[in-house]
Amino acid sequence: MLFYFGYRTFTEKPDQIIEKYGIQRVHHRILFFIAQVPGITVNDLLSILEVSKQALNTPLRLLSEKNLIKMVQADYDKRYKLLYLTEQGKQLESKLSHVQREQMKTIFDSLGSNHQKAWIDVMNALAKVRPGQQQFNTQINKQRH
């Protein structure tokens, strides 16, 4: 119950922002992960989000039509589409993430750093079984090397 209400609070302000752009929470997730891994392939994004190609196709097309993302053919293989945020997409994603980071910062500042560590430990324990988390870690490690 607390997780549900906490999640609602965490997503409320970003949902209000994206509504003005005519997009939804799924679009926010896509923008977030493209921002984390610029140049990610569509297939890798599918794996991270743990959704089907059909589920991702329409949101990607809408984000492209709204000039929030761009799709570029990979030089190494024309079959692969690489995803990047446009300047407008970067600004929107930054605004959305800033709202949520500030919200978490305010909470942890009031509770203390030991609470932040405990929260991170809980989130890591929940996330570690997700194939999308494993794929995300793989993508981040590729970018670092």
Side-chain angles (χ1 to χ4, degrees):
M1 175 182 67
L2 289 175
F3 189 82
Y4 171 77
F5 290 117
Y7 179 73
R8 292 285 304 230
T9 300
F10 185 69
T11 58
E12 184 175 34
K13 287 180 185 174
D15 283 354
Q16 291 167 356
I17 294 168
I18 61 175
E19 187 177 334
K20 295 173 188 171
Y21 287 81
I23 59 176
Q24 299 172 339
R25 197 173 298 153
V26 64
H27 302 98
H28 178 189
R29 283 191 292 269
I30 293 167
L31 292 172
F32 175 80
F33 282 108
I34 295 173
Q36 301 307 302
V37 188
I40 189 170
T41 66
V42 172
N43 285 338
D44 287 336
L45 184 59
L46 287 169
S47 296
I48 288 171
L49 295 174
E50 300 179 40
V51 297
S52 69
K53 199 175 221 177
Q54 293 82 1
L56 193 59
N57 187 38
T58 301
L60 280 178
R61 188 176 40 225
L62 181 62
L63 289 171
S64 181
E65 289 169 1
K66 290 186 173 285
N67 195 36
L68 296 170
I69 65 167
K70 59 183 173 184
M71 297 181 207
V72 179
Q73 282 187 329
D75 290 337
Y76 57 87
D77 189 331
K78 301 296 182 204
R79 295 175 294 173
Y80 291 97
K81 290 182 184 172
L82 308 179
L83 302 172
Y84 297 92
L85 297 181
T86 63
E87 198 53 46
Q88 186 178 344
K90 287 177 187 176
Q91 290 173 7
L92 176 57
E93 192 285 324
S94 177
K95 183 178 183 179
L96 295 168
S97 290
H98 177 75
V99 166
Q100 290 179 317
R101 278 195 290 280
E102 284 300 308
Q103 190 177 35
M104 297 304 285
K105 182 183 180 316
T106 299
I107 292 167
F108 290 131
D109 284 351
S110 71
L111 295 176
S113 62
N114 59 327
H115 287 84
Q116 182 174 353
K117 182 185 177 335
W119 183 82
I120 290 170
D121 290 344
V122 169
M123 292 297 106
N124 278 323
L126 287 170
K128 75 179 179 182
V129 300
R130 303 300 323 161
Q133 171 68 23
Q134 295 162 12
Q135 180 66 31
F136 177 74
N137 289 338
T138 299
Q139 293 304 309
I140 291 297
N141 288 333
K142 277 185 192 177
Q143 286 208 334
R144 289 183 182 150
H145 294 102

